[in-house]
Amino acid sequence: MLKVPAHQVAGHRADRGKLGPRVDDSGRFYKPLQGDERGAREVAFYTSFSSDTKVPNHISRFFPKFYGTQLVEASDGSGMKPHVVLQDLTFSRVNPSVMDIKIGSRTWGPEESADQIQKCLKKDRESSSLSLGFRLSGMQIFGTKESGFWKPEKKWIQSISTDEVRLLLKKFVSSDTSALKPDCAFASIVYGGSKGILSQLLELKAWFEDQTSYHFFACSILMMFEKELALEGKSPCPEIKLVDFAHVFEGRGVIDHNFLGGLCSLIKFISEILTTPEDSTTNVLVEDAHRSHVYPENGSA
Amino acid sequence: MLKVPAHQVAGHRADRGKLGPRVDDSGRFYKPLQGDERGAREVAFYTSFSSDTKVPNHISRFFPKFYGTQLVEASDGSGMKPHVVLQDLTFSRVNPSVMDIKIGSRTWGPEESADQIQKCLKKDRESSSLSLGFRLSGMQIFGTKESGFWKPEKKWIQSISTDEVRLLLKKFVSSDTSALKPDCAFASIVYGGSKGILSQLLELKAWFEDQTSYHFFACSILMMFEKELALEGKSPCPEIKLVDFAHVFEGRGVIDHNFLGGLCSLIKFISEILTTPEDSTTNVLVEDAHRSHVYPENGSA
């Protein structure tokens, strides 16, 4: 009994007869393999990475567990299709706030065609990828049981300015998703602390300064936590995971400077929220953002 | 009495009636201003940077001193032209080995025309910029008083492979420029040590992880040292300097992830030479490189 993932914020969705990933009741995520070299590269990456003894445990925990590939009935009714079977990253979570951040100023790999390069370059220039080294691909923020999730439109979120990106990174860890000014109430327990998101990003950064095996293009970092746990005085379980490896290439002895540069840029944004949460340059944007680009969506899964 | 710089390894040269930079006898370097926005940007950068109190001294020492602009007779005989007056970076050196490394996988700034982007992108793809995050733009290695400098052709050096880049970074700190295998004899005193090039690069990196004022496109790091001093048992005075600021743009609160990524990649190459100088993967390339692409040049200035 496969179903559409409740907390997917980016990528193709398996609803309305379309092809997309689904999850089962035991914590597995079934992602249809793209029929071209992208699918082949994603399987090649998971196969190689999951058996790579050079990757330390404190890094491999940032990647979904890999359970091989499996023929599964496709969500678009097109019959049995090969899927990559992965860990369902939000399986044990109730109402997670999730942000999908595509890392790198360049989202095209070394083997793309001239057409594909132009297409990706255009998108990198129109989004914040080129300027910031990353772009928001999708997000949901849990509000309350009554209001459910705040989930801005994907098309809008990929076209926003630097100040709006900064604002959403603040809003992500604020108590009231409809407030005019983000209060960053959960910044210190989600982004900060020895087990917070910033610490995890810094661990990842240290690995990227050293590893020369893989180059990750168009790969995303998911940031997740649970506001309700925080409200109960518990840890909100902040966590980062890397996803989407259809454009991973061999590093051939060179570090992934494209990913690393974008990661450092994201780290700088998160650090600044922790050190100067009251910085008000972007406050004026809140109302606009909230008024124009939100659509209501029912709450918990 | 202005003269052509003796140790210039990249950029336009002022010889044979061409327009290029010249130096005087008191340690100043006169660089003709490009008539378009590039010249304006370079002056704007030096003006802003030299009075920027946020830049710490241990970072500003990596930049040439700026003495303003001055009308000077152009080297191509075209009359008085505005020049930017800078510190002559090799003034106090006798026979410096010099390497010019253009940093960043992307050498085009945010305001380039579509044509200019395509032109730069092509060069970034054909050189090592896109793959390594930097490319060698020019170099000279001092051999002996008899043999003078080894100075590979600029055109070749900008088209070399990853392994050849690694080889030249080793050759740069080896005792014999004509040897088949670079011995990395000077690696520990040029690249290594608390005042060596790696330490300086790491200081620069720490600043780039934090600074959000400037984005440096198509800017180079010069690495310099003097082999003769090392042979006399003295410090070879290893030093890095940043040069070429015609494509510097305002950072607007975002780190320069393009420069930082390339810098981290260069740091990884230099670190590996220090930790595994005997790595032999590139040795076979030495003979080829030396045979095909060297032209003899007379030694000291």
Side-chain angles (χ1 to χ4, degrees):
Chain A
M1 286 297 89
L2 298 183
K3 56 190 180 189
V4 178
H7 305 299
Q8 189 185 341
V9 298
H12 304 285
R13 281 184 65 86
D15 49 8
R16 300 178 200 123
K18 287 186 191 153
L19 187 63
R22 281 166 307 157
V23 293
D24 66 15
D25 291 328
S26 70
R28 295 191 176 202
F29 181 91
Y30 299 78
K31 181 176 179 179
L33 279 171
Q34 288 162 302
D36 52 16
E37 68 278 7
R38 290 173 297 175
R41 273 196 300 254
E42 186 139 37
V43 171
F45 169 74
Y46 275 113
T47 306
S48 161
F49 188 82
S50 62
S51 62
D52 185 343
T53 53
K54 281 188 298 181
V55 180
N57 290 340
H58 74 274
I59 295 302
S60 56
R61 72 181 168 123
F62 294 139
F63 290 77
K65 288 193 192 76
F66 172 58
Y67 303 111
T69 57
Q70 197 175 312
L71 278 176
V72 171
E73 187 72 42
S75 62
D76 62 354
S78 61
M80 299 296 278
K81 290 280 167 67
H83 286 61
V84 59
V85 188
L86 303 167
Q87 176 189 6
D88 176 4
L89 298 175
T90 58
F91 181 65
S92 58
R93 294 185 179 269
V94 183
N95 285 312
S97 294
V98 182
M99 193 181 275
D100 180 303
I101 307 173
K102 198 180 285 251
I103 305 293
S105 66
R106 171 156 72 94
T107 58
W108 45 279
E111 290 170 22
E112 304 289 3
S113 66
D115 272 3
Q116 194 60 24
I117 291 174
Q118 290 309 320
K119 199 176 141 189
C120 291
L121 182 57
K122 184 167 183 285
K123 205 160 178 185
D124 296 344
R125 293 180 70 192
E126 286 168 356
S127 69
S128 71
S129 291
L130 207 69
S131 54
L132 304 191
F134 64 86
R135 68 174 176 250
L136 308 188
S137 282
M139 68 186 293
Q140 66 177 24
I141 311 180
F142 184 69
T144 62
K145 284 225 157 38
E146 293 68 40
S147 69
F149 288 94
W150 183 78
K151 193 168 177 176
E153 285 170 34
K154 269 195 265 179
K155 200 172 169 183
W156 170 72
I157 209 178
Q158 297 195 24
S159 69
I160 60 180
S161 69
T162 302
D163 286 341
E164 288 168 319
V165 167
R166 192 176 282 119
L167 178 71
L168 288 185
L169 287 168
K170 287 181 176 183
K171 203 175 168 73
F172 189 58
V173 292
S174 291
S175 56
D176 184 356
T177 57
S178 61
L180 224 79
K181 283 176 67 166
D183 59 10
C184 297
F186 307 113
S188 63
I189 53 168
V190 172
Y191 291 152
S194 64
K195 295 193 167 180
I197 280 174
L198 180 60
S199 285
Q200 295 177 47
L201 292 172
L202 289 170
E203 279 189 81
L204 193 63
K205 176 189 170 217
W207 184 64
F208 269 93
E209 285 174 340
D210 187 54
Q211 75 88 13
T212 60
S213 300
Y214 309 98
H215 282 193
F216 298 86
F217 294 99
C219 161
S220 284
I221 290 179
L222 289 186
M223 306 198 305
M224 294 172 284
F225 74 99
E226 287 188 74
K227 189 191 280 186
E228 286 170 302
L229 292 174
L231 293 171
E232 290 166 18
K234 298 176 188 159
S235 163
C237 298
E239 188 178 36
I240 63 166
K241 291 280 184 187
L242 275 76
V243 295
D244 296 340
F245 307 112
H247 301 275
V248 176
F249 295 83
E250 282 181 38
R252 300 173 194 271
V254 178
I255 67 161
D256 187 352
H257 47 85
N258 177 63
F259 189 101
L260 178 58
L263 178 59
C264 289
S265 179
L266 176 62
I267 284 170
K268 178 70 174 171
F269 275 81
I270 305 276
S271 302
E272 282 184 344
I273 292 173
L274 284 166
T275 51
T276 55
E278 290 307 310
D279 167 48
S280 62
T281 52
T282 62
N283 287 345
V284 289
L285 294 161
V286 185
E287 203 177 9
D288 268 5
H290 195 247
R291 197 185 289 139
S292 335
H293 307 287
V294 185
Y295 59 89
E297 189 163 287
N298 280 331
S300 51
Chain B
M1 286 296 88
L2 299 184
K3 57 191 180 186
V4 178
H7 304 300
Q8 190 186 341
V9 298
H12 304 286
R13 282 183 65 86
D15 49 8
R16 300 179 200 125
K18 286 188 191 149
L19 187 63
R22 281 165 308 157
V23 292
D24 68 15
D25 291 328
S26 69
R28 296 191 175 203
F29 181 92
Y30 299 78
K31 181 177 178 179
L33 278 171
Q34 287 161 303
D36 53 15
E37 67 277 10
R38 290 174 296 176
R41 274 198 298 257
E42 186 139 35
V43 171
F45 168 73
Y46 274 113
T47 307
S48 162
F49 188 82
S50 61
S51 62
D52 185 344
T53 53
K54 282 187 299 181
V55 180
N57 289 340
H58 73 276
I59 295 301
S60 56
R61 73 182 167 121
F62 294 139
F63 291 76
K65 288 194 191 77
F66 172 58
Y67 302 111
T69 57
Q70 196 176 313
L71 278 176
V72 170
E73 187 72 43
S75 62
D76 62 354
S78 60
M80 299 295 277
K81 289 281 166 68
H83 287 60
V84 59
V85 187
L86 303 167
Q87 175 190 6
D88 176 4
L89 298 175
T90 58
F91 181 65
S92 58
R93 295 185 178 269
V94 182
N95 286 311
S97 294
V98 182
M99 193 181 276
D100 180 303
I101 307 174
K102 197 179 286 248
I103 305 293
S105 66
R106 170 156 72 95
T107 57
W108 45 278
E111 291 169 23
E112 304 289 3
S113 65
D115 272 4
Q116 195 60 24
I117 291 174
Q118 291 309 319
K119 199 176 140 188
C120 291
L121 182 58
K122 184 167 183 283
K123 205 160 178 184
D124 295 345
R125 293 181 70 192
E126 288 168 354
S127 69
S128 71
S129 291
L130 207 69
S131 55
L132 304 192
F134 65 86
R135 68 173 176 250
L136 308 188
S137 282
M139 67 187 292
Q140 65 176 26
I141 310 178
F142 184 68
T144 61
K145 285 224 157 37
E146 293 68 41
S147 69
F149 288 95
W150 184 79
K151 194 168 178 175
E153 285 170 35
K154 270 196 264 180
K155 201 172 169 182
W156 170 72
I157 208 177
Q158 296 196 24
S159 69
I160 61 179
S161 70
T162 301
D163 285 341
E164 287 168 321
V165 166
R166 191 175 284 120
L167 177 71
L168 287 185
L169 287 168
K170 288 182 174 182
K171 203 174 167 77
F172 188 59
V173 292
S174 291
S175 55
D176 183 355
T177 57
S178 61
L180 223 78
K181 283 177 67 167
D183 60 10
C184 297
F186 306 113
S188 62
I189 53 168
V190 173
Y191 290 152
S194 64
K195 297 194 166 179
I197 279 175
L198 180 60
S199 285
Q200 296 177 46
L201 292 172
L202 289 170
E203 278 188 82
L204 193 63
K205 176 189 168 215
W207 184 65
F208 269 94
E209 285 174 340
D210 187 55
Q211 75 88 13
T212 60
S213 301
Y214 309 98
H215 284 192
F216 298 84
F217 293 99
C219 159
S220 284
I221 290 179
L222 289 186
M223 307 198 304
M224 295 172 282
F225 74 97
E226 288 189 73
K227 188 191 280 184
E228 286 169 303
L229 292 175
L231 293 172
E232 291 166 16
K234 298 176 188 160
S235 163
C237 298
E239 188 180 37
I240 63 165
K241 292 280 184 187
L242 275 75
V243 296
D244 295 340
F245 306 112
H247 301 275
V248 176
F249 294 84
E250 284 181 36
R252 300 172 194 272
V254 177
I255 66 161
D256 187 352
H257 46 86
N258 177 62
F259 189 101
L260 178 59
L263 178 58
C264 289
S265 178
L266 176 61
I267 284 170
K268 178 70 175 170
F269 275 80
I270 304 276
S271 302
E272 282 184 345
I273 292 173
L274 284 166
T275 51
T276 55
E278 290 305 312
D279 167 48
S280 61
T281 51
T282 61
N283 287 344
V284 289
L285 294 160
V286 185
E287 202 176 8
D288 268 5
H290 196 246
R291 199 185 287 138
S292 334
H293 308 287
V294 185
Y295 59 90
E297 189 163 285
N298 279 330
S300 51

